[in-house]
Amino acid sequence: MTFLVRPVRAKQLSRDGLRIVSPHGDAVLSPKVVSAEEIDTPYDLVFLSVKAYALEAAMNDFAAAVGRDTMILPVLNGMRHIDLLAKRFGEHAVTGGVCLVAAEIDDQGRIVQLADVQRLVYGERNGESTPRLKTLDATLRGAGFDARLSSDIMQAMWEKWIQLASLGAITCLMRGTIGQIVAAPGGTELSIALLNESAAGASACGHKPSEDFLSRNAAAMTKTGSSLTSSMYRDLRKGAPVEADHILGDLIERGSVHGVATPLLKAALVNLRVYQDRLPKH
């Protein structure tokens, strides 16, 4: 495995190693790294895990690694990245993926895992069981995390999108954890309303979430005393860019095509756009 990183990160990894702090045990690895300028041959697999707002730059960086048989496995949030990747590299190259992990990079450059869950789901976007995905599945199984091949990866991606949009919207809009939000009068009802708006948008686009999914997420978003937040809220608290347009804006747009009204999601989106406009421009 080779990590494509930028010069500053490459220098840090060379000096300190890839440091991981996890409930499953800490580790320090010495990864093989490469810069965009050093890529001189196609790779079998490109595992893409950047933030959505960094996608365009990332595509330019790894383009030289994509050959005729290269498989791209993105685990970004939402759906816009699928359209952009397929347009750039072709429909066949792009598979579907979902990564469920709560983690962040701390001020020491360490990867800090915030919860036990660590699941990776992948599959062909058309649901077929292909030799290349079976090979990928065999490679990833037994690597120490929950890896599974899905015959309906698009549904899994849409359901994660519903979860992220509703949780991101409520925690960013209210500036608090789920426990703090539901402790306030009206907080529980607002959480459920946002979940319902997100689900309505997905349903209108042909990806209605299961009742089990809605029940589990409703429980998680209304749990008394919960410390649950979203990655968008954690980024916001750090003063970092957020994926507002990719997670909220794109879902709102896709739903509006089918006449779905999403006033609470729009309020959260405008709120985050105001925040984003205040960030220093680079």
Side-chain angles (χ1 to χ4, degrees):
M1 179 181 291
T2 302
F3 288 78
L4 173 58
V5 294
R6 293 190 169 87
V8 172
R9 183 62 167 161
K11 183 177 180 181
Q12 185 180 53
L13 291 174
S14 176
R15 182 185 67 241
D16 303 325
L18 178 60
R19 296 170 293 168
I20 301 171
V21 179
S22 167
H24 300 281
D26 300 347
V28 179
L29 309 176
S30 299
K32 179 182 178 182
V33 301
V34 66
S35 66
E37 297 76 18
E38 294 171 329
I39 299 174
D40 58 3
T41 186
Y43 282 65
D44 295 328
L45 173 71
V46 173
F47 183 83
L48 183 60
S49 59
V50 297
K51 292 285 190 178
Y53 46 76
L55 177 59
E56 184 175 353
M59 288 194 296
N60 292 334
D61 286 345
F62 73 72
V66 180
R68 186 184 64 180
D69 299 319
T70 300
M71 180 168 46
I72 301 173
L73 173 56
V75 290
L76 285 73
N77 301 318
M79 286 291 158
R80 183 180 293 175
H81 66 285
I82 294 291
D83 298 336
L84 296 174
L85 287 165
K87 182 179 180 181
R88 176 78 179 267
F89 300 107
E91 293 285 348
H92 178 69
V94 186
T95 64
V98 170
C99 183
L100 298 174
V101 64
E104 62 184 9
I105 299 179
D106 68 8
D107 55 9
Q108 300 179 49
R110 303 179 303 176
I111 306 295
V112 180
Q113 188 175 350
L114 305 174
D116 289 345
V117 63
Q118 47 184 23
R119 181 181 306 155
L120 181 63
V121 188
Y122 37 85
E124 296 286 6
R125 291 185 289 130
N126 61 8
E128 291 183 3
S129 178
T130 59
R132 67 176 187 171
L133 260 296
K134 290 179 180 178
T135 299
L136 174 65
D137 187 44
T139 302
L140 293 177
R141 285 183 181 274
F145 52 86
D146 182 3
R148 62 182 67 173
L149 179 60
S150 171
S151 60
D152 196 1
I153 190 63
M154 298 304 289
Q155 182 67 17
M157 291 173 66
W158 273 92
E159 289 189 348
K160 185 188 179 187
W161 195 4
I162 294 169
Q163 178 190 35
L164 288 173
S166 52
L167 181 61
I170 191 67
T171 54
C172 289
L173 195 58
M174 297 296 104
R175 299 296 198 271
T177 66
I178 287 298
Q180 292 167 337
I181 293 165
V182 300
T188 295
E189 293 78 7
L190 194 61
S191 289
I192 294 299
L194 272 162
L195 177 61
N196 289 339
E197 278 192 10
S198 301
S203 297
C205 294
H207 293 276
K208 182 179 180 179
S210 69
E211 290 302 320
D212 177 64
F213 170 86
L214 289 175
S215 177
R216 284 186 286 107
N217 279 273
M221 289 184 60
T222 58
K223 185 177 180 181
T224 302
S226 173
S227 60
L228 180 65
T229 61
S230 64
S231 57
M232 274 205 297
Y233 178 59
R234 293 192 294 272
D235 287 340
L236 182 151
R237 291 197 65 185
K238 291 188 294 186
V242 293
E243 298 178 300
D245 284 301
H246 310 86
I247 294 177
L248 300 182
D250 195 33
L251 182 59
I252 291 168
E253 288 178 19
R254 291 174 191 253
S256 67
V257 171
H258 300 281
V260 177
T262 52
L264 295 175
L265 288 174
K266 286 181 179 177
L269 176 62
V270 173
N271 181 298
L272 289 170
R273 282 174 171 169
V274 172
Y275 158 79
Q276 193 108 287
D277 285 344
R278 293 174 177 168
L279 295 179
K281 300 295 188 291
H282 297 289

